[in-house]
Amino acid sequence: MGATLPAVAEELLKAIEKAFGETSHGRLKFIFGASAVPALDLVDRRAVTRVVSPSGRMVYQVAGSSGKRYTCYASCHFCTCPAFVYSVLRKDETLVCKHLLAIYLSRAVGACQELTVPDEQLTRLLLPEMEEGR
């Protein structure tokens, strides 16, 4: 399944970009299951932020429905949320969590926020345990 995820996601996103205003919620729900509607809600709330640093490193942060921010790595299809670990990695029930799907959809429709931060700040986002250990 891991080898087909990028291909499926990329094809769906190309279709979404092509039909920007005609996206069918039904198709998204068929492919991505229960993650589709909550992901669309995150896109509507503009909860996705692309965080970049001067060195070119990049990560996404998604403000979840509870208000907690999750760090996501779209390039390797990984999210730090518990649902990703449980539903995607352990149970293999779905392709992505709502946070990752919101990233893909936000990028496709141009609804992604952009934030430039110093390299040190991005490092703290990437390695949060460094802050906890101090």
Side-chain angles (χ1 to χ4, degrees), residues 68-129:
K68 182 172 178 166
R69 290 198 166 276
Y70 296 101
T71 301
C72 303
Y73 309 91
S75 60
C76 62
H77 309 289
F78 182 81
C79 180
T80 58
C81 76
F84 181 84
V85 173
Y86 185 75
S87 297
V88 178
L89 297 179
R90 288 182 105 191
K91 300 284 261 171
D92 202 20
E93 293 175 339
T94 185
L95 296 171
V96 293
C97 66
K98 67 182 179 181
H99 309 109
L100 279 172
L101 183 54
I103 290 169
Y104 301 140
L105 295 171
S106 290
R107 288 184 351 197
V109 300
C112 195
Q113 311 256 8
E114 184 90 14
L115 177 65
T116 302
V117 300
D119 287 312
E120 297 79 22
Q121 187 176 346
L122 187 62
T123 299
R124 286 192 297 274
L125 288 175
L126 297 172
L127 303 169
E129 65 275 358

Side-chain angles (χ1 to χ4, degrees), residues 14-70:
K14 285 178 188 172
I16 290 169
E17 285 181 84
K18 188 174 180 182
F20 180 77
E22 305 166 19
T23 303
S24 168
H25 288 60
R27 263 188 256 165
L28 286 174
K29 193 166 184 176
F30 176 75
I31 295 170
F32 293 106
S35 298
V37 173
L40 288 168
D41 180 55
L42 291 171
V43 173
D44 286 344
R45 291 191 297 114
R46 298 191 56 88
V48 177
T49 302
R50 181 177 175 253
V51 183
V52 295
S53 71
S55 66
R57 291 186 297 166
M58 175 191 61
V59 70
Y60 288 88
Q61 285 203 314
V62 180
S65 50
S66 67
K68 182 172 178 166
R69 290 198 166 276
Y70 296 101

